Amino acid sequence: MAEPVQIRRLTGHEGQTLQRIVRRGSTSTVRMRRAMMLLASAGGNAVPVIARLVQADEDTVREVINRFNEIGLACLDPQWAGGRPRLLDGDDEEFVVQTAATRPTNLGKPFTRWSIRKLADHLRRNVARPIHIGREALRTLLIRRGITFQRTKTWKESTDPHFDGKLDRIEYAISERPDRTFAFDEFGPLGIRPTAGSCWAKQGKPDRLPATFHRTHGTTYFHGCYSLGDDTLWGVNRRRKGIAPTWAALKSIRAARPDGAPIYVILDNLSAHKHWRILHWAERNKVELCFTPTNASWANPIEAHFGPLRQFTLANSNHPNHTVQTRELHRYLRWRNQNARHPDVLAAQRRERARVRSEKDIRWGGRPRAA
């Protein structure tokens, strides 16, 4: 006949710990029940009596006592076995992730994005590799593997064969000659219409702007110039883009440094910017035109300053005509040049840089940061 299972002799520390758990309770019901089993066994009670005391199976009581005799108080902490065995192995999970990251149209489905229900149904009906998984399990699997539901972003990859050379020249002008470097670009078109924005208002009673459908004022373009050395922004509104407005803007930039020394002007590849008259004038007046690469408008430093211009003068506005719009725009330019380091201006510039680049961990020029 087998000997009855009995707990070994308790030490002072073990007895005090078990009494404290039983008397004061524990956040874990399992720990308290196991402590009761051990104390009852230490009091000389047999296994059947302990099982009726704690309403447990006799085999469970024997297992707890044997584990205590082997490892001590560590047996109070439950060692969960992990629950139900996993139905999907690593390859199946990888297949689910790849399917979720693939456009449904590439798999013959008549929609452009997956929902959890559609994805689970597609995996279940897949003839080559059927996978049965619930919607909640599928959602948690995707989150665990870093697949989330995100908005689609657009991007343009430059096809300019001289991409690196142009960026190197622009970066040289910005880093080595900032006091003699300027940026020029057109901002627009600017129409006369109420523009939605945001402002402080009483809760439930937002500020409202009238809707407009009949526009007879046409559009204008803001021809902006920016001095990197002085951190100054200026410009004028014109009815259209062209050679004459560009020429006038370049002359105003040349007048900002009347000493006759060479200056650098960063601008995009608009055909009006490359007219032979402008190129000859720039060569005669020691103005080096640094053109940005194709589809790389983010390389122009003035782009970051158009964001605050849009946010502080156009958003939440209702200008009656172009005269009022231009006057308000120039009022902002005067305030901006007097408060160039204002936190709101700097924050708007950072947001605009992030919007234009649409890339993370990318230094100026669209190239990865150096390690």
Side-chain angles (χ1 to χ4, degrees):
M1 182 176 180
E3 296 182 0
V5 176
Q6 191 71 24
I7 193 174
R8 62 172 172 78
R9 180 179 296 179
L10 298 178
T11 64
H13 171 70
E14 292 173 344
Q16 293 175 1
T17 302
L18 294 176
Q19 282 186 346
R20 183 172 63 253
I21 294 175
V22 172
R23 291 177 180 178
R24 299 181 183 180
S26 175
T27 56
S28 173
T29 306
V30 176
R31 285 176 56 88
M32 188 173 65
R33 291 185 62 187
R34 292 185 178 183
M36 292 174 61
M37 295 178 190
L38 298 177
L39 283 180
S41 179
N45 296 290
V47 170
V49 177
I50 300 174
R52 289 193 299 270
L53 174 66
V54 298
Q55 296 296 315
D57 189 80
E58 294 183 8
D59 292 339
T60 302
V61 177
R62 294 188 182 94
E63 183 181 358
V64 171
I65 295 175
N66 291 329
R67 290 288 294 172
F68 176 81
N69 294 335
E70 294 176 1
I71 62 176
L73 292 176
C75 73
L76 298 178
D77 299 321
Q79 301 293 327
W80 305 114
R84 179 182 177 183
R86 297 181 62 182
L87 300 180
L88 302 181
D89 56 15
D91 294 339
D92 291 337
E93 289 190 359
E94 189 65 28
F95 177 75
V96 171
V97 171
Q98 291 180 0
T99 304
T102 304
R103 285 183 172 269
T105 52
N106 296 338
L107 299 178
K109 298 297 180 180
F111 35 84
T112 59
R113 66 178 186 181
W114 294 112
S115 66
I116 293 293
R117 190 188 303 272
K118 292 177 181 177
L119 181 57
D121 184 69
H122 171 75
L123 293 172
R124 184 173 61 255
R125 297 174 181 272
N126 189 8
V127 179
R129 191 172 187 174
I131 294 179
H132 296 271
I133 184 172
R135 289 179 301 190
E136 184 62 21
L138 176 59
R139 185 185 65 84
T140 56
L141 168 62
L142 295 178
I143 293 178
R144 187 173 69 251
R145 299 296 295 270
I147 304 298
T148 58
F149 201 74
Q150 305 175 23
R151 296 187 65 87
T152 304
K153 294 184 178 181
T154 59
W155 60 279
K156 289 182 179 180
E157 184 177 359
S158 178
T159 57
D160 197 325
H162 307 290
F163 181 84
D164 291 330
K166 291 182 178 180
L167 286 185
D168 291 339
R169 193 56 183 169
I170 294 176
E171 190 168 2
Y172 166 80
I174 292 177
S175 59
E176 302 295 335
R177 297 290 186 269
D179 56 332
R180 310 200 66 82
T181 300
F182 300 83
F184 167 75
D185 198 7
E186 296 89 354
F187 173 63
L190 306 179
I192 299 301
R193 59 184 179 88
T195 305
S198 57
C199 64
W200 294 100
K202 192 173 181 179
Q203 187 175 6
K205 295 184 179 180
D207 190 18
R208 297 184 180 275
L209 297 175
T212 176
F213 301 96
H214 188 57
R215 307 169 189 169
T216 59
H217 301 81
T219 60
T220 60
Y221 293 87
F222 174 72
H223 292 66
C225 306
Y226 175 65
S227 173
L228 274 72
D230 302 333
D231 195 8
T232 304
L233 182 67
W234 74 94
V236 295
N237 280 38
R238 304 287 187 181
R239 279 290 180 179
R240 60 184 60 86
K241 301 179 183 180
I243 301 173
T246 301
W247 205 344
L250 293 178
K251 289 181 179 179
S252 69
I253 293 176
R254 177 71 269 186
R257 294 292 185 272
D259 53 3
I263 62 174
Y264 304 86
V265 180
I266 303 173
L267 66 170
D268 59 20
N269 295 274
L270 186 68
S271 58
H273 300 168
K274 296 184 175 182
H275 194 270
W276 64 271
R277 295 181 181 178
I278 293 181
L279 298 179
H280 288 180
W281 175 88
E283 184 177 358
R284 291 194 306 269
N285 291 271
K286 297 182 180 180
V287 177
E288 181 177 342
L289 303 180
C290 302
F291 294 101
T292 60
T294 307
N295 296 333
S297 59
W298 42 260
N300 195 335
I302 200 174
E303 292 288 345
H305 300 275
F306 286 160
L309 194 68
R310 181 188 302 106
Q311 178 179 346
F312 297 139
T313 62
L314 297 180
N316 198 33
S317 67
N318 183 21
H319 300 131
N321 50 58
H322 282 296
T323 303
V324 176
Q325 185 185 66
T326 302
R327 183 166 61 244
E328 294 299 323
L329 190 148
H330 284 85
R331 282 183 58 193
Y332 165 76
L333 291 180
R334 290 191 295 270
W335 177 88
R336 184 256 172 228
N337 291 332
Q338 295 174 0
N339 303 271
R341 308 303 298 175
H342 193 278
D344 290 345
V345 176
L346 299 179
Q349 292 176 10
R350 287 194 297 269
R351 285 193 296 269
E352 185 66 13
R353 290 192 189 99
R355 186 191 68 82
V356 174
R357 293 176 183 176
S358 297
E359 297 174 350
K360 295 181 179 180
D361 296 328
I362 299 297
R363 73 179 180 93
W364 186 93
R367 287 170 284 187
R369 295 181 182 273

